[in-house]
Amino acid sequence: MKNQNVLIIEDEIKVSSFIKKGLEEQGFLVDVSYDGTLGLQMALSYQYCMLIVDLNLPGMNGYEVCKEIRKTDQKVPILILTALGTTENKITAFDIGADDYIVKPFEFRELVARIRALLKRSQMSSLTSNSMTVADLSINIDSRTVRRAGKKIDLTAKEFALLEYLIRNKGRVISRSELAEKIWDITFDTGTNVIDVYVNFLRKKIDHGFAIKLIHTHIGAGYVLKEEDPE
């Protein structure tokens, strides 16, 4: 990690001040923007190690901020911190490039744990191989590009993170609880189907139209990415 600078884009002064004080006590350097438009300008003008973004913002909402950042920066971790807690809100945020999502009210200890988990994952990505292949599927970590049989496949940030984890663990059955912890940094809730939904999104993009399927379901156990001959 090149720096410990965090940008908070949050219009609730009490909330942003509370987070800023707490993170500074943890050794981070913290900038704050109370406006989405200004926050976006700051995010694009300086190299932050982490962005914490609210969704309901004046000037430009958090969805728009995240979308604009991802046009030029695919690597900086973005954590959404918001009172909006529906599954639709979360899926929309992940689809436009958010890496994690916390609903207010929140425990500060959980926020710090999520931040450190995202930073650790970011560091590991920069230290490991920048390209990996399975059969005719290849992904490049630096450019965040995916190709199968030479055809480019567009993935959201969360779909890419899921595929990267599957391909790094190719041949191993990965449980839903492990995916929840490693990709979403949450404890798996048996009442949610968000992991199954994202695996299905990914399967449609990666396997649809190809005779050899790469993403396989092990009922009651989880998922595995491996090459398997067509039946």
Side-chain angles (χ1 to χ4, degrees), residues 10-66:
E10 165 66 71
D11 65 325
E12 293 185 54
I13 297 176
K14 288 184 179 180
V15 174
S16 58
S17 297
F18 169 71
I19 298 173
K20 175 179 170 66
K21 182 177 184 295
L23 290 183
E24 288 176 341
E25 291 175 353
Q26 295 287 325
F28 291 93
L29 300 174
V30 183
D31 291 333
V32 177
S33 171
Y34 306 111
D35 175 272
T37 304
L38 177 59
L40 175 61
Q41 294 174 356
M42 294 171 66
L44 298 179
S45 300
Y46 189 79
Q47 187 177 16
Y48 291 98
C49 71
M50 165 73 62
L51 306 178
I52 300 173
V53 184
D54 189 12
L55 290 180
N56 288 325
L57 294 167
M60 177 182 288
N61 68 47
Y63 293 123
E64 295 170 328
V65 171
C66 188

Side-chain angles (χ1 to χ4, degrees), residues 130-149:
N130 65 354
S131 62
M132 294 172 285
T133 61
V134 172
D136 56 354
L137 172 70
S138 64
I139 73 171
N140 186 288
I141 306 303
D142 291 338
S143 62
R144 300 183 73 83
T145 54
V146 178
R147 294 182 181 276
R148 180 147 193 204

Side-chain angles (χ1 to χ4, degrees), residues 110-210:
E110 180 185 3
L111 175 63
V112 173
R114 298 282 192 96
I115 289 173
R116 296 202 182 282
L118 288 175
L119 293 177
K120 182 179 179 181
R121 186 192 306 164
S122 178
Q123 285 180 284
M124 290 300 294
S125 293
S126 65
L127 293 174
T128 52
S129 173
N130 65 354
S131 62
M132 294 172 285
T133 61
V134 172
D136 56 354
L137 172 70
S138 64
I139 73 171
N140 186 288
I141 306 303
D142 291 338
S143 62
R144 300 183 73 83
T145 54
V146 178
R147 294 182 181 276
R148 180 147 193 204
K151 179 184 177 181
K152 185 178 179 182
I153 299 172
D154 293 322
L155 301 181
T156 66
K158 219 60 180 177
E159 289 169 350
F160 186 91
L162 178 58
L163 177 61
E164 180 184 350
Y165 194 78
L166 288 171
I167 200 171
R168 287 191 188 281
N169 293 274
K170 59 184 178 182
R172 180 170 73 86
V173 178
I174 305 173
S175 67
R176 290 172 176 81
S177 59
E178 181 176 342
L179 290 174
E181 177 185 351
K182 300 299 184 181
I183 307 302
W184 280 267
D185 296 310
I186 60 174
T187 300
F188 179 61
D189 178 1
T190 55
T192 180
N193 66 342
V194 66
I195 295 169
D196 299 313
V197 168
Y198 269 87
V199 170
N200 286 333
F201 285 162
L202 189 59
R203 181 180 275 134
K204 287 178 181 179
K205 293 183 178 182
I206 297 300
D207 282 340
H208 181 70
F210 293 92

